[in-house]
Amino acid sequence: MDSAKITVRPAADHDAGRLAEIHIAAWQATYRGIMTDERLDGMSVERAASNWRRNISDPAQGTEHLVITHDGLPVGFTIFGPAPDDCASGTGQLYALNLHPDWWAQGLGSTLFSAAEQRLAALGYSRAVLWVAKGNERAISFYNKHGWVDDGGILEDARFDPPITELRHSRIFACL
């Protein structure tokens, strides 16, 4: 892949529709068997694009959205910022990292992930956490490969019906 065609940049309002498409395609490919088919098949690009426009134009305090593009076309995104109040001071959180499935296994996820890690460290976080659905072995392997470890944190994400069990992974940024 021609790395000259790869760019990581902040998300912009005009990306909302494409980010919705990426989000839905990634979830439908990743979470089949973890989430209900009804939930996955009911995802709406129009509704998701509206949410993306709102979140990009008025992000939660400290939250950033990055997009990775190939030849100008967004192919993935990451969202990160401060960890919830119950985490230790100085802890950031990677909220999301998704690539369109057509772009999996080409190194773009690693490039985007590295950009998010660098940005979290630059924001002053000495540690970061992320939550990954139990059973999402592809993501767990990816995070482990990048030095993030399962630190034993578990939560039941009740936003989903039935709730999804999530495992916490973390990384110290002292060496970045």
Side-chain angles (χ1 to χ4, degrees), residues 62-66 78-82 93-95 115-116 119-120 123:
T63 299
E64 296 187 18
H65 301 76
L66 295 180
T78 185
I79 308 168
F80 53 88
Q93 183 169 335
L94 183 74
Y95 306 128
R119 188 71 188 123
L120 281 161
L123 290 168

Side-chain angles (χ1 to χ4, degrees), residues 131-155:
W131 293 93
V132 60
K134 183 177 180 180
N136 186 351
E137 297 304 323
R138 180 184 189 93
I140 291 168
S141 175
F142 177 86
Y143 298 135
N144 288 339
K145 179 178 95 174
H146 288 281
W148 290 61
V149 296
D150 182 336
D151 64 16
I154 298 175
L155 69 78

Side-chain angles (χ1 to χ4, degrees), residues 3 9 11 18 26 35 47 66 68 80 82-83 85 89 98 105 118 129 132 134 138 143 154 158:
S3 63
R9 62 168 173 76
R18 177 65 181 159
M35 293 181 180
R47 188 172 50 247
L66 295 180
I68 190 164
F80 53 88
D85 292 336
S89 177
N98 289 157
Q118 290 172 15
V129 299
V132 60
K134 183 177 180 180
R138 180 184 189 93
Y143 298 135
I154 298 175

Side-chain angles (χ1 to χ4, degrees), residues 35-161:
M35 293 181 180
T36 66
D37 287 348
E38 180 180 82
R39 167 84 180 203
L40 295 169
D41 295 338
M43 296 177 83
S44 158
V45 170
E46 293 78 20
R47 188 172 50 247
S50 176
N51 290 336
W52 273 102
R53 275 189 284 283
R54 184 184 67 250
N55 291 333
I56 291 169
S57 65
D58 187 23
Q61 184 173 355
T63 299
E64 296 187 18
H65 301 76
L66 295 180
V67 173
I68 190 164
T69 67
H70 178 267
D71 206 19
L73 176 70
V75 297
F77 65 85
T78 185
I79 308 168
F80 53 88
D85 292 336
D86 61 342
C87 286
S89 177
T91 301
Q93 183 169 335
L94 183 74
Y95 306 128
L97 177 77
N98 289 157
L99 283 181
H100 192 285
D102 291 347
W103 294 91
W104 287 357
Q106 297 181 47
L108 296 172
S110 293
T111 298
L112 184 59
F113 193 64
S114 177
E117 287 180 316
Q118 290 172 15
R119 188 71 188 123
L120 281 161
L123 290 168
Y125 297 114
S126 58
R127 175 178 180 263
V129 299
L130 60 82
W131 293 93
V132 60
K134 183 177 180 180
N136 186 351
E137 297 304 323
R138 180 184 189 93
I140 291 168
S141 175
F142 177 86
Y143 298 135
N144 288 339
K145 179 178 95 174
H146 288 281
W148 290 61
V149 296
D150 182 336
D151 64 16
I154 298 175
L155 69 78
E156 293 294 318
D157 192 338
R159 294 176 300 165
F160 304 101
D161 185 21

